[in-house]
Amino acid sequence: MKIKNIVLLAASNIKLALKSALAQFLLLCIFTAIVVLVLNVSAESFSKLFDSGLYETPKMVIEGLLNGGGIDEAVVDVQQLIIEITALFKQGSPLFEEFLNTVFLLYIAITIVIALFNFLIGLTELTVCKCLNDFMTVGVQRPFGWQFFRILGKSALYQLMKNLIMIMTEMLLLCVSVGLYLIFLSGMGIAGVIIFVVIGIMLYAFKLTLFSFWAPAICAEGTTVLESFKKSLKVLVDKFIQVYAYAFIISVVVSAVLGVICYFFGGYVSMALTPVVVYLSGYELTCVSMALYYEAEGKTYFTRKLDMVTTNEE
């Protein structure tokens, strides 16, 4: 598959990307409103949290690693971040304060909040794939809003199942990467940190690859969410190396860009640019997944209007 095909597909549907970004922003507002209402957190508390230097934590972590600090020091910085956020939430109610004082329940709460965030933001994923599928099939760009509400039920089921599987997968990969660091890399200084980061990126790319054909299968085949997952794994066997290569390259580029942004800019600049970089990389990976799925299934597809690509073109 030529990279040109992916670039053309992504560029031809740039309006789709912008509409999806707007929808995700609105969903993020809904998520924030839910958190504020449930936890009874005031705007003044949020302001105090940012004034405390919360946004500088990523920069502190990167500086510590570059200065020879180990992963254990980075973990301390992250734990401090969790403590500051927890202090914000504890102001909501005495019941919630007691809940957060239990470490195990605290991390359960964090997991639930992250899962809810991923669920809401991810509701646009299937819509983007469906719009890309229609464009690739007949060269027609369907209205984003109409597609979003038409398949909202299936999108919700897809995100629910995907998040449940991903939580278990991420916990397993986290344990593997941290275990490797503690056993083999903790005494190697900066070299150990670099190897740990590379391993982390490799495992993250593996996770992206594992689920890459699920949404394309749902949209292209029109089957149920569970059947599409089984179908995606079967199709992925033949295209695993290609998908993984793209996922790994994108992950490396994104990690490098985010590292540079956090280290040289930090503060509110990094907070503003990070979601943009992450979103664009996700959109590009979606286009890669759709194109590779079509080619794996021997389908022809449009990259732009009246420009059809056959699967025997290399």
Side-chain angles (χ1 to χ4, degrees):
M1 180 184 66
K2 294 182 179 179
I3 297 179
K4 180 187 72 173
N5 297 337
I6 299 174
V7 174
L8 286 174
L9 178 63
S12 298
N13 291 274
I14 192 65
K15 290 183 179 179
L16 171 63
L18 295 175
K19 292 174 183 177
S20 175
L22 177 60
Q24 287 194 9
F25 176 76
L26 295 177
L27 290 168
L28 177 61
C29 292
I30 294 174
F31 169 78
T32 304
I34 292 174
V35 171
V36 170
L37 291 175
V38 172
L39 305 181
N40 193 27
V41 181
S42 66
E44 181 181 357
S45 298
F46 273 111
S47 178
K48 290 180 179 179
L49 185 62
F50 283 102
D51 291 341
S52 68
L54 165 68
Y55 49 79
E56 295 292 348
T57 300
K59 183 176 181 179
M60 291 169 56
V61 171
I62 295 175
E63 287 178 343
L65 294 176
L66 293 178
N67 291 331
I71 298 297
D72 51 344
E73 295 182 13
V75 171
V76 171
D77 290 333
V78 174
Q79 287 178 334
Q80 182 60 37
L81 171 64
I82 294 175
I83 290 173
E84 292 178 359
I85 296 176
T86 302
L88 165 68
F89 292 154
K90 283 182 178 180
Q91 301 172 16
S93 69
L95 178 61
F96 198 71
E97 179 176 358
E98 182 178 352
F99 182 83
L100 292 181
N101 283 333
T102 304
V103 176
F104 174 76
L105 295 179
L106 167 62
Y107 283 97
I108 291 295
I110 293 174
T111 302
I112 293 174
V113 170
I114 293 176
L116 177 60
F117 173 81
N118 289 334
F119 174 82
L120 288 176
I121 297 300
L123 287 176
T124 62
E125 179 186 353
L126 206 58
T127 305
V128 171
C129 286
K130 182 61 178 174
C131 290
L132 286 174
N133 179 71
D134 290 344
F135 178 81
M136 294 169 71
T137 304
V138 294
V140 175
Q141 295 174 327
R142 305 288 188 187
F144 178 86
W146 175 76
Q147 287 282 23
F148 178 81
F149 289 105
R150 190 175 73 88
I151 62 173
L152 183 57
K154 180 173 281 191
S155 294
L157 178 59
Y158 165 65
Q159 284 301 319
L160 180 62
M161 293 180 62
K162 181 180 178 181
N163 275 283
L164 289 175
I165 298 175
M166 284 186 68
I167 288 175
M168 294 183 289
T169 305
E170 289 171 350
M171 291 299 295
L172 176 61
L173 296 179
L174 179 63
C175 291
V176 170
S177 57
V178 173
L180 288 174
Y181 175 80
L182 294 176
I183 296 174
F184 301 106
L185 307 174
S186 57
M188 298 175 60
I190 186 65
V193 172
I194 294 174
I195 296 174
F196 173 78
V197 171
V198 172
I199 293 175
I201 293 175
M202 292 175 63
L203 292 176
Y204 180 73
F206 174 79
K207 184 201 74 171
L208 293 178
T209 303
L210 185 63
F211 299 102
S212 60
F213 280 174
W214 194 352
I218 294 174
C219 298
E221 309 300 337
T223 53
T224 64
V225 176
L226 182 58
E227 290 174 347
S228 297
F229 182 54
K230 297 177 181 177
K231 170 76 172 180
S232 69
L233 295 178
K234 292 179 181 178
V235 177
L236 184 61
V237 173
D238 294 329
K239 288 290 183 178
F240 181 85
I241 295 178
Q242 279 186 276
V243 179
Y244 182 81
Y246 278 106
F248 180 74
I249 293 172
I250 291 175
S251 299
V252 170
V253 172
V254 170
S255 299
V257 171
L258 292 181
V260 170
I261 291 174
C262 292
Y263 183 76
F264 288 101
F265 297 98
Y268 293 107
V269 176
S270 63
M271 289 183 63
L273 294 180
T274 296
V276 176
V277 174
V278 172
Y279 175 79
L280 290 177
S281 65
Y283 172 67
E284 186 66 22
L285 187 59
T286 298
C287 292
V288 169
S289 300
M290 289 295 297
L292 285 176
Y293 183 86
Y294 261 63
E295 294 193 4
E297 289 294 278
K299 299 175 182 289
T300 56
Y301 62 93
F302 287 94
T303 58
R304 57 186 179 185
K305 292 183 179 179
L306 302 180
D307 183 17
M308 179 172 280
V309 176
T310 58
T311 55
N312 60 3
E313 180 181 353
E314 298 292 340

